[in-house]
Amino acid sequence: MDSSSRLRGLLRARGPEWPAPIEYLESAGSTNDVLKGRAREGAAEWSVVIAARQTAGRGRHGRVWISAPGNLYLSVLLRPALPRESLGVLPLAAGLAVCRAVSEFGVAAELKWPNDVLVRGRKLAGVLVEATSAGRGIESAVVGIGINVGLVPEELPPEDAERVTSIAAETGAVAETLGVASAVLARLSVCYDALAREGPAAVVQAWLRHAVTWWGRPVEVRGDGYTLRGIARGVDEGGALLVEDAAGHLVPVLSGEVSALRLSQP
Ligand code: BTN
C-alpha cells in the first residue's frame, strides 16, 4: 500500500473519510511551498502534502528547518472563515493539535507562544502558518507542521543537540511518522471545529492550559526591528501575546521570539 493510502486508512480508523487529497512525496523542497502551489490551483480545504524529507524546509523568520528522513514534515490547507485579525489563532490551534497528538505517543509537551512545542524547554515541533488574504478575510492558510519523530539529538552539532528533542529521544521508541501524522490531522480537525463553533476564545483557553507558565513573569520579545521587555500577561482572542510594558500599557504582540527573563536580568 502506498503511503498516502496508508495515512488515509489510519485517518479512517479514527473517524470519517478524510475530505480532501493527501499527497505523499519522497522528497519536497518545502511541503508548504508545494501546497501553496496546489492552493493557487484551487485545491480543496484539508488538502495535505507530506514529505519523507525536505531539501528547503523553512521555519519562522526565514530560518532553515533541517529536514532529514525519519521525522514528520506535513502541510495542510485551510480556508478559514475568520477575519484577518484572528489569523494569529491558527498557529495556536495547530500547536494545540500537535501537543495533544504527541501525548498519544507518551510525550508530555508544552506550548510556547506562538508556535513552539517543547519538552523540558527543548524543541520537539514547530508550526509555520502562511496565509493569503482576500479583503478583510483570509483566502487560504497553509499550516506547516514539523515534528521530530526519530531524530537523535546527539547526532546534531553540540549547539543544536541541547536545544532539540524528538519522540524517540523522549520515549525510547520510534513512532511511525504516518501514525503521528494521522494523530495530528485528526486533532487539528477537532481544534478547527472548536474554532468555527465556539470561536477563537475557546481555542486560546485550551492553548493556555498547555502553555509554559510564565504569566506574570518578565519576558523579552524580539521581533523584526524591535525588542520589547515587560510582563507576560496572556494571549488575546486574535492570538496576540499580551505584554505589559514599563508604562503599564498592555501591548499586543503579533510576531516575534519570546524568552523568559530572570528577575535580576538588566
Ligand atoms: C518553526 O518552528 O520555525 C516552524 C517550523 C515549521 C517546519 C514545517 S516542516 C513542514 C512545513 N514545511 C516547511 O518548509 N516548514 C514547515
Side-chain angles (χ1 to χ4, degrees), residues 218-233:
V219 292
E220 180 177 271
V221 189
R222 287 174 184 267
D224 290 336
Y226 76 91
T227 301
L228 172 67
R229 284 185 172 195
I231 306 295
R233 290 295 180 202

Side-chain angles (χ1 to χ4, degrees), residues 30-32 54 57-60 65 74 115 123 126-127 144-146:
S30 155
T31 54
N32 268 28
Q54 298 184 116
R58 280 200 313 281
R60 287 169 63 239
W65 186 260
L74 167 109
N115 78 331
K123 187 139 171 163
V127 174
I145 296 173

Side-chain angles (χ1 to χ4, degrees), residues 24 26 51-54 67-73 147-152 166-168 174-178 180:
Y24 183 94
E26 284 304 330
R53 61 191 279 269
Q54 298 184 116
S67 305
N71 302 307
L72 178 62
Y73 312 109
I147 304 183
N148 297 330
V149 178
L151 180 107
V152 180
S166 65
I167 294 178
V174 178
E176 186 197 4
T177 52
L178 293 179
V180 180

Side-chain angles (χ1 to χ4, degrees), residues 60 95 110-118 123 125-127 257:
R60 287 169 63 239
E110 281 189 315
L111 298 167
K112 180 183 152 222
W113 185 90
N115 78 331
D116 284 341
V117 183
L118 307 175
K123 187 139 171 163
V127 174
E257 229 31 80

Side-chain angles (χ1 to χ4, degrees), residues 4 35 55 74 98 118 131 139 150 185 217 246 261:
S4 59
L35 191 54
T55 53
L74 167 109
V98 171
L118 307 175
E139 185 181 48
L185 289 170
R217 289 175 50 190
L261 294 175

Side-chain angles (χ1 to χ4, degrees), residues 25-95:
L25 303 169
E26 284 304 330
S27 181
S30 155
T31 54
N32 268 28
D33 290 343
V34 175
L35 191 54
K36 279 197 267 180
R38 304 287 181 262
R40 282 193 292 274
E41 293 157 8
E45 187 169 41
W46 292 110
S47 293
V48 171
V49 173
I50 177 167
R53 61 191 279 269
Q54 298 184 116
T55 53
R58 280 200 313 281
R60 287 169 63 239
H61 305 298
R63 284 193 288 254
V64 171
W65 186 260
I66 296 170
S67 305
N71 302 307
L72 178 62
Y73 312 109
L74 167 109
S75 299
V76 55
L77 178 64
L78 299 177
R79 297 189 182 278
L82 285 175
R84 253 190 298 177
E85 307 81 75
S86 297
L87 184 60
V89 86
L90 286 182
L92 305 190

